[in-house]
Amino acid sequence: MALVVAPHRDGYGEDLPFEQVCLCFEELARSDSGKTQIAGGGRQTKLMIDGGIKDHNSAMVAEWGIDVAVVGSGLINDRGTIAENLAAINSALGH
């Protein structure tokens, strides 16, 4: 599993080209190197993103090939209940 942690714009470091980082991991995981890993008895790489997932960007992140997304403040916030926020994310994903 490759974990990509979202860079937060909170003063703790430089902003990273986040989409480029995710797409680079996705390309590597799906490349011949990833296929060789599976052929050698390994498992398919799962791409996971942790942080920054909200209803306004969940579909974009899904398009990047991310397999698992950790959602925290996208669910628990003052914009709505957890159920309402989950419904907004699912709606953005077309579910």
Side-chain angles (χ1 to χ4, degrees):
M1 176 177 291
L3 172 65
V4 180
V5 179
H8 294 283
R9 296 171 188 224
D10 58 5
Y12 293 104
E14 296 180 30
D15 292 334
L16 299 174
F18 193 51
E19 179 180 6
Q20 292 174 355
V21 171
C22 290
L23 292 174
C24 181
F25 272 108
E26 197 271 339
E27 181 179 332
L28 179 63
R30 312 297 187 239
S31 70
D32 288 340
S33 176
K35 292 174 186 164
T36 301
Q37 174 179 311
I38 294 168
R43 296 180 183 236
Q44 181 177 347
T45 302
K46 297 283 185 187
L47 298 176
M48 178 177 171
I49 190 170
D50 185 355
I53 307 301
K54 312 277 192 286
D55 60 341
H56 71 274
N57 64 6
S58 57
M60 177 179 61
V61 170
E63 290 175 3
W64 295 347
I66 300 298
D67 298 303
V68 178
V70 176
V71 182
S73 63
L75 289 175
I76 303 169
N77 58 54
D78 59 1
R79 290 183 50 208
T81 66
I82 292 174
E84 291 167 341
N85 291 326
L86 180 59
I89 291 170
N90 281 327
S91 176
L93 291 170
H95 298 159

